[in-house]
Amino acid sequence: MGLAITLGSQTVDAKTVPTALRGNWYNLAPASETGTSHATMWGYHYRKHSLTITSGHQSQTMTTKHMGITKWKTRIRFQGGHWQTATAYTAGWGDMPSFIPASGIFHGKRHRMLLCIPQNGNWFDVYTHFKPKVHWELKIAMKN
């Protein structure tokens, strides 16, 4: 499978969600990650002033005045590629995941995606604007 990736960066206004994160983002988490007998569809729905997280049939919503937005630069390298500077974001509360906005080619079409930075390891989950039928992840090296 070939996957082409490009990186982008956006500026952050502390009162709004960065435009690079806005939209509906989906990832199909396998049963081994969720601790259940079946895969679970995760959804992050970023709006200008709010965030809604859905998992299965549960959802939580928070506004920007109750969540922190953090932006930082990091260096990443895809397998067989060179080191690139990327902008990472964390928007939410508590132990929220961090994302790197990118774009990739899925099924012959270019789509925006978010790479979810893992807490340990090099396998980044891929969140897309469409609901995937399989779990997407990429092996990426990262250093600060």
Side-chain angles (χ1 to χ4, degrees), residues 3 18 41 45 53 57 68 78 86 90 94 103 114 117 121 123 125 127 137-138:
L3 183 64
M41 183 67 67
H45 311 285
I53 302 169
H57 298 291
F78 299 97
T90 304
S103 66
L114 291 180
I117 300 173
W123 289 97
D125 287 335
Y127 283 76
E137 58 184 6
L138 295 172

Side-chain angles (χ1 to χ4, degrees), residues 13-19 22-23 45-51 63-64 67 69:
D13 178 5
K15 297 175 184 159
T16 63
V17 172
T19 55
R22 292 183 198 166
H45 311 285
Y46 286 103
R47 302 291 178 261
K48 187 173 183 178
H49 297 289
S50 67
L51 161 64
T63 60
T64 52
M67 66 180 181
I69 300 171

